[in-house]
Amino acid sequence: MSSLSVVSNRILYWLMAILSLAVTLYGLANVMPAIGDFRIGPFEMVFFRATFFALCALVVMLGIFRKSDGSLAHRVVSAMAAIFTLGMLWSAWSFYQISSKLDEAMFLFGAREMWIALIASAGALFFCWRIWGVPVALLGLFGIAYMATGHHWPGMLQTINTGVTETLAQNLLYSLDSGILGSTFSIVITTVFPFIILGAVLEGVGAGDSMIRIAFSWMRRTAGGPAHAAVLSSGLFGTVSGSAVGNVVGTGVVTIPMIKRRGFTPNFAGAVEAAASTGGQIMPPIMGAAALVMADFVGVSYLTVIIAVLVPAIAYYASLFAMIVFESRRLGIRTGDEGDNGVERPTRQDYLNLLLIFVPLGLIVVLLITGLSPSGASISALALLFPLSFINPAVREKPIKLVQSLCAGGRTFSQLLMAIAAVSIVISALSVTGVPLKFGILLSSLVTDSLMLSLVIAAFCCVVLGMGMPTLPAYVTVATIAIPAMQQLGLEPLTAHMFVFFIAVASAITPPVAIAAFAAASISGGGPIGTSVQASKVGVMIFAIPFTFAFNPLLLTVEQAGAEFVLLSWLWLLAKLLVGILLVATALTGFDKRVLKIPEILVRLVAAGFLFAPGMFMDQIGVALAVAAVLWHRRADCKMYCMKVTG
């Protein structure tokens, strides 16, 4: 690399760092609560949305510039990024000029405003393509096309022609309720943004390595060894990052080689890490961005969401532990001390570093219980974390790490905002064309009383839309389309949204486009498709649990889920869930005390299905089949033992 290239790359680095830090500070100032009589934000709404969008576009553009290797293709992409950024800056200025006047007088949108809105949309979709891949961009492109041509479509898909020019201009850009800078933008800024910054700082203060060392130490004498450590560390790390791929990259580089060394296949090693990392998005208290948006959509407190998701999240991680146990038995891996696994034993400092995670997270829970908003709780935790981070000698030695983590948070959110822009286009298209209502009517005409079929259709849509996409866009899109129909069939809003949220999270390990599994495969050396298939098998309960609480809302614990809390019924439900998890784990690994025959596997899967279904009659069948499966297995074991003794 020439000296000129080095200098230009360094300049780009500092420009990007400064702008990323500006995004972070500007966004935090907008949601910062008042301190006595002192208040920085919130800023005037139209001005803030326009300027924040412009800052994020600049950050993303610089990120594309930095990735350029000087080849012709990269130079073309960089030139397009610069052109689209200029268009987006112009669009932001136009949005501020026009939207600030909409409250004062009616404004007639013309061709000029339509083309400005299309330029802003094209820029956002271009950046989505470069950051998140083709699926997100295509989804937004389809939304624009349907919005413009819907009045030409046949049958139920046909929309009312209200004028393409005004429809595109208002619903893509100039409305404060819909479009790129609409209500979804507002929700993400006020609720999700502070948590993303908190997660970036939690990662930056250096407790992640300590978590991995402690997890390996605690699990070194289990048969699964590093596989169990991967589940534990990824669960803890996931409460911080809220990103499946980020979790895989953050912990998998250490855990996956250790899992392979223990005797597991590369595909299984990657699958365990991918499944465990994906579960981080459902692990309280931070979870993923979609959970924060869900609380706002449903109209419940974020604390209610945390309580509701707690049992399903723990059950999911218990299922991962069970899958590893029976896979270890199948492969003949014995319990042993993993002292030579290449991971250093935890020190006193490692345990002290855990305070950097659990104290801020504990503060968030306490503040949510006392009634503070999620953004207020996250900002308070962030304020505590800065002085607390000096517990770590690495932070004391280089305090600049804190500033770097703020920059990383701003950069991460700028990239996420481009995906939010794309999904906002889709939401606007669905809203203006009435697709959710039509989908609900169509679904009701197909299945009058079948909640199961409705859930299967919603799950399928969520998996398809989630292929290669972040969880938040997948969740918001499917929620907009499918949830009204699900509610018509009797599901409470919280239960319906939680169902879609879980399946959207699960799309990260669902083939053929399983981004978390693909990331894990790149580390393990396994096949991407093979790893994603294994990850779907290892993490199968993330698909089964949503159907369970859809039919048994008591599992979500809170009244808003649609079931009155009765302790004995709740405990019985947990017992059924635990037995079902063990039955599924043994059936899918094909091993319990010995290899299971196909009839035994089928009986266990059917028994688990009955246990997950609602109703006392179903419970009785499930329990009877479970007991029969266990006795069948034990009888065969006893028979083999007697033959050995007498032989």
Side-chain angles (χ1 to χ4, degrees):
M1 184 180 293
S2 67
S3 58
L4 182 61
S5 298
V6 172
V7 171
S8 61
N9 192 55
R10 178 60 61 180
I11 292 172
L12 286 174
Y13 170 81
W14 283 109
L15 279 175
M16 189 174 179
I18 292 169
L19 285 175
S20 300
L21 184 60
V23 167
T24 299
L25 298 179
Y26 190 29
L28 289 177
N30 186 63
V31 296
M32 190 79 70
I35 304 174
D37 296 328
F38 176 74
R39 176 181 288 277
I40 300 176
F43 305 111
E44 191 267 321
M45 180 169 49
V46 175
F47 175 79
F48 173 76
R49 293 189 188 183
T51 51
F52 196 83
F53 180 69
L55 273 174
C56 290
L58 287 170
V59 169
V60 174
M61 178 194 72
L62 290 174
I64 291 177
F65 284 179
R66 288 200 67 221
K67 291 180 181 178
S68 177
D69 61 3
S71 65
L72 178 60
H74 279 157
R75 286 203 300 268
V76 171
V77 168
S78 297
M80 292 176 66
I83 293 169
F84 277 123
T85 301
L86 290 175
M88 294 166 78
L89 296 179
W90 179 34
S91 303
W93 172 251
S94 179
F95 169 82
Y96 171 67
Q97 290 292 307
I98 293 176
S99 296
S100 58
K101 301 174 183 176
L102 291 180
D103 293 335
E104 303 171 6
M106 293 296 293
F107 185 88
L108 295 177
F109 294 100
R112 178 178 181 273
E113 287 73 35
M114 180 191 72
W115 284 111
I116 292 174
L118 285 172
I119 289 171
S121 302
L125 296 180
F126 172 79
F127 285 142
C128 276
W129 167 52
R130 299 307 303 170
I131 299 168
W132 303 107
V134 174
V136 192
L138 284 181
L139 195 63
L141 194 62
F142 177 79
I144 296 173
Y146 186 48
M147 204 184 304
T149 64
H151 54 283
H152 295 302
W153 287 48
M156 289 187 65
L157 295 175
Q158 189 176 44
T159 62
I160 299 173
N161 186 4
T162 57
V164 174
T165 300
E166 184 165 352
T167 297
L168 291 178
Q170 186 165 3
N171 291 285
L172 287 179
L173 181 63
Y174 292 101
S175 173
L176 293 178
D177 295 323
S178 60
I180 294 173
L181 301 178
S183 56
T184 306
F185 178 96
S186 178
I187 292 170
V188 171
I189 286 293
T190 56
T191 306
V192 177
F193 176 74
F195 277 91
I196 287 179
I197 302 304
L198 175 62
V201 176
L202 282 169
E203 285 189 61
V205 295
D209 293 340
S210 295
M211 279 194 300
I212 292 174
R213 282 192 287 269
I214 291 171
F216 269 85
S217 176
W218 289 355
M219 298 294 153
R220 70 183 185 275
R221 294 186 183 276
T222 64
H228 285 130
V231 172
L232 181 60
S233 60
S234 294
L236 292 172
F237 196 79
T239 65
V240 174
S241 69
S243 166
V245 175
N247 207 345
V248 168
V249 174
T251 60
V253 291
V254 176
T255 59
I256 289 175
M258 298 302 105
I259 298 172
K260 290 169 60 180
R261 189 180 303 174
R262 192 79 165 98
F264 296 98
T265 65
N267 282 352
F268 186 81
V272 167
E273 181 58 48
S277 296
T278 298
Q281 293 183 90
I282 61 171
M283 179 58 69
I286 290 183
M287 299 189 280
L292 293 153
V293 175
M294 176 177 30
D296 198 275
F297 278 3
V298 179
V300 299
S301 68
Y302 185 53
L303 181 63
T304 300
V305 174
I306 288 176
I307 296 172
V309 81
L310 187 59
V311 170
I314 293 173
Y316 174 65
Y317 275 98
S319 73
L320 297 184
F321 271 89
M323 292 292 290
I324 293 168
V325 167
F326 292 109
E327 182 69 11
S328 301
R329 290 183 184 179
R330 187 182 73 84
L331 296 175
I333 297 174
R334 302 294 181 184
T335 303
D337 191 335
E338 287 291 302
D340 59 344
N341 57 25
V343 178
E344 297 177 3
R345 292 293 179 90
T347 63
R348 178 174 174 272
Q349 184 61 50
D350 288 319
Y351 287 99
L352 281 176
N353 286 346
L354 289 187
L355 295 175
L356 301 178
I357 294 176
F358 291 111
V359 171
L361 297 187
L363 178 63
I364 288 174
V365 174
V366 170
L367 292 178
L368 290 174
I369 292 174
T370 59
L372 196 63
S373 67
S375 59
S378 59
I379 289 173
S380 300
L382 189 61
L384 172 65
L385 183 58
F386 265 79
L388 189 66
S389 64
F390 287 94
I391 289 176
N392 190 348
V395 176
R396 292 199 301 270
E397 183 179 338
K398 292 184 177 180
I400 193 67
K401 286 179 177 289
L402 296 174
V403 179
Q404 290 172 340
S405 62
L406 290 176
C407 295
R411 185 169 61 252
T412 299
F413 187 80
S414 298
Q415 295 173 345
L416 177 63
L417 196 63
M418 296 302 114
I420 298 302
V423 81
S424 296
I425 293 171
V426 177
I427 293 172
S428 296
L430 295 174
S431 176
V432 75
T433 56
V435 167
L437 180 61
K438 294 176 182 178
F439 181 81
I441 295 172
L442 178 63
L443 193 59
S444 298
S445 66
L446 291 174
V447 280
T448 307
D449 299 313
S450 179
L451 176 60
M452 173 59 79
L453 185 55
S454 178
L455 294 176
V456 169
I457 292 172
F460 176 77
C461 292
C462 215
V463 168
V464 171
L465 290 171
M467 288 180 182
M469 290 176 61
T471 301
L472 179 56
Y475 158 72
V476 171
T477 305
V478 178
T480 306
I481 298 173
I483 282 180
M486 294 165 67
Q487 289 180 229
Q488 287 179 13
L489 293 172
L491 248 61
E492 290 296 318
L494 177 61
T495 306
H497 278 268
M498 192 68 76
F499 178 90
V500 172
F501 170 59
F502 262 70
I503 302 298
V505 169
S507 66
I509 58 171
T510 309
V513 185
I515 54 176
F518 286 7
S522 68
I523 300 172
S524 69
I529 298 298
T531 301
S532 61
V533 170
Q534 278 277 13
S536 297
K537 187 176 80 170
V538 171
V540 67
M541 291 308 297
I542 203 170
F543 303 97
I545 288 173
F547 285 91
T548 303
F549 63 63
F551 288 101
N552 300 278
L554 181 59
L555 189 64
L556 297 180
T557 309
V558 297
E559 293 181 1
Q560 291 88 337
E564 181 183 355
F565 184 80
V566 179
L567 181 60
L568 287 179
S569 299
W570 184 72
L571 292 175
W572 171 242
L573 189 56
L574 294 188
K576 289 198 304 174
L577 183 61
L578 179 60
V579 174
I581 286 172
L582 292 175
L583 289 172
V584 170
T586 53
L588 292 184
T589 55
F591 199 93
D592 189 349
K593 296 292 185 182
R594 57 169 176 79
V595 176
L596 297 176
K597 297 178 181 178
I598 291 179
E600 291 182 277
I601 292 173
L602 293 177
V603 169
R604 290 176 184 238
L605 290 176
V606 172
F610 277 109
L611 289 174
F612 293 150
M616 184 55 68
F617 179 67
M618 296 293 190
D619 290 351
Q620 291 171 347
I621 296 176
V623 169
L625 287 174
V627 171
V630 173
L631 291 178
W632 185 359
H633 196 67
R634 293 290 185 270
R635 178 178 174 274
D637 280 348
C638 291
K639 187 176 180 180
M640 290 175 63
Y641 177 76
C642 292
M643 290 176 63
K644 286 182 179 180
V645 171
T646 57

